[in-house]
Amino acid sequence: MKSIARFFVGVKQEMGKVRFPNKKEMVNYSLATITFVVVFALFFVASDAILGALVKVLG
């Protein structure tokens, strides 16, 4: 039981060290994430269209 108690004491200490982002940082991180997702989605859609057309031409 002591090891479980030490675990939770350690968890509480580590959670005290955690720094959560403020609103401005959160907006920036969210915009960066959405931008990357859109860019990669467009890349894969374009790649799929190009490769699909190439397969039709060659096949």
Side-chain angles (χ1 to χ4, degrees):
M1 284 309 262
K2 283 187 179 184
S3 63
I4 295 173
R6 276 188 300 202
F7 171 76
F8 285 109
V9 168
V11 168
K12 185 175 179 180
Q13 288 173 345
E14 290 298 319
M15 287 302 293
K17 298 176 186 178
V18 173
R19 181 192 162 282
F20 293 98
N22 60 32
K23 184 177 180 179
K24 183 179 177 183
E25 291 172 331
M26 200 65 200
V27 168
N28 286 338
Y29 298 152
S30 297
L31 288 175
T33 301
I34 291 168
T35 301
F36 279 111
V37 167
V38 169
V39 167
F40 279 105
L42 292 173
F43 170 76
F44 286 117
V45 166
S47 298
D48 184 51
I50 291 169
L51 290 174
L54 188 61
V55 167
K56 277 187 178 181
V57 168
L58 296 176

